[in-house]
Amino acid sequence: MLVIMEKQVDTNKLLKQHLEMESFFVGDFTLKGNMPESNMPQVESTIPQEVSEMDNSLEKIADHVRACRKCEIAGSRLNAVPGQGNPKARLMFVGEAPGADEDQKGIAFIGRAGKLLTDIIIAMGLTREEVFIGNVIKCRPPGNRDPKLDEIHNCWPYLKRQLEMIQPEVIVALGAHAARTLLNTNDAIGKLRGRFHEYRFSEDAPPAKLMPTYHPAYLLRNYSYDNRKRVWEDMMKVLKELGLPVPEKKK
Ligand code: URA
């Protein structure tokens, strides 16, 4: 009986969050509590380029990812998740690692966090097909634990090559793991987000603007007015940087 009641509470909470999420990114804000500063573990990102000779298309990179057995987690994955979207995307979102839904289908950001990311993209006046969506880690860490440093190290060449090929004008790093890996820093996401950093593809190519922001999964867990407003403000800066119209919304 107790179990059933707990389930009901959970369902109500999920439904409420979902409605708030819809209302925030498509309608009005809903005011809730504050968030604690995140304290994510540090990651190292000085990783040699070892896939420079990798075949010259995103689909070929995806084939390499699917064949990859460099980490133990390759043994527990159902599907590798290379990332997907427009090969000429002006905007690229980089998350942390696939979860259970992504592992099932081999597609990035299709679970609850993915639904929120989709809502954010739509609120920006864009579609998932116009952007590229990928992750630092291409296999699901068991139990959705944080990625390990050697996993980030092993997987980095794939993301690096994807970035080099797409050369987006703006990269949105979703959460601490993506921001720290791409910026080679140990700073907290709360300190990094809200302003543009530079991501250099190579010595000679012009750098991309990189905007760190909160991960949608973090946002779902800490669903405050302030956090949603922060993410939306970050996305408005991204739209302005791309010269795209900022949709009228939000009080
Ligand atoms: N979280 C991520 O970081 N990536 C996904 O693809 C899904 C959830």
Side-chain angles (χ1 to χ4, degrees), residues 4-131:
I4 291 167
M5 278 180 65
E6 273 174 7
K7 275 221 165 107
Q8 280 171 347
V9 171
D10 255 356
T11 312
N12 286 340
K13 195 176 152 201
L14 285 180
L15 183 63
K16 187 160 178 280
Q17 271 190 358
H18 179 77
L19 291 173
E20 283 181 0
M21 189 169 87
E22 293 285 351
S23 132
F24 178 82
F25 285 108
V26 191
D28 293 337
F29 287 137
T30 311
L31 196 54
K32 282 175 86 189
N34 280 331
M35 95 169 182
E37 188 62 32
S38 109
N39 199 14
M40 303 284 284
Q42 299 180 342
V43 296
E44 188 208 316
S45 60
T46 44
I47 294 161
Q49 179 179 355
E50 61 184 71
V51 195
S52 54
E53 298 310 315
M54 198 179 271
D55 310 77
N56 232 4
S57 82
L58 288 172
E59 207 30 61
K60 289 277 167 53
I61 297 173
D63 288 343
H64 281 273
V65 167
R66 290 185 199 106
C68 183
R69 294 279 181 279
K70 285 194 254 177
C71 307
E72 251 183 33
I73 54 174
S76 59
R77 73 182 180 213
L78 294 176
N79 287 291
V81 182
Q84 72 287 326
N86 183 352
K88 293 192 166 38
R90 298 181 65 206
L91 173 60
M92 177 160 169
F93 290 87
V94 179
E96 178 182 320
D101 295 302
E102 291 78 17
D103 185 48
Q104 284 272 346
K105 296 267 162 66
I107 302 169
F109 279 99
I110 53 164
R112 281 191 74 221
K115 167 83 179 84
L116 179 51
L117 178 61
T118 304
D119 286 347
I120 293 170
I121 292 169
I122 290 168
M124 294 171 79
L126 300 169
T127 63
R128 280 177 67 109
E129 290 69 32
E130 283 173 277
V131 302

Side-chain angles (χ1 to χ4, degrees), residues 221-249:
R221 288 195 306 272
N222 301 273
Y223 210 65
S224 68
Y225 169 91
D226 284 347
N227 285 343
R228 283 173 282 159
K229 188 160 180 288
R230 285 179 185 125
V231 171
W232 183 243
E233 282 168 356
D234 296 346
M235 294 309 103
M236 286 198 289
K237 287 179 189 161
V238 166
L239 288 171
K240 281 189 190 137
E241 179 61 34
L242 290 167
L244 295 173
V246 176
E248 271 287 316
K249 70 183 289 297

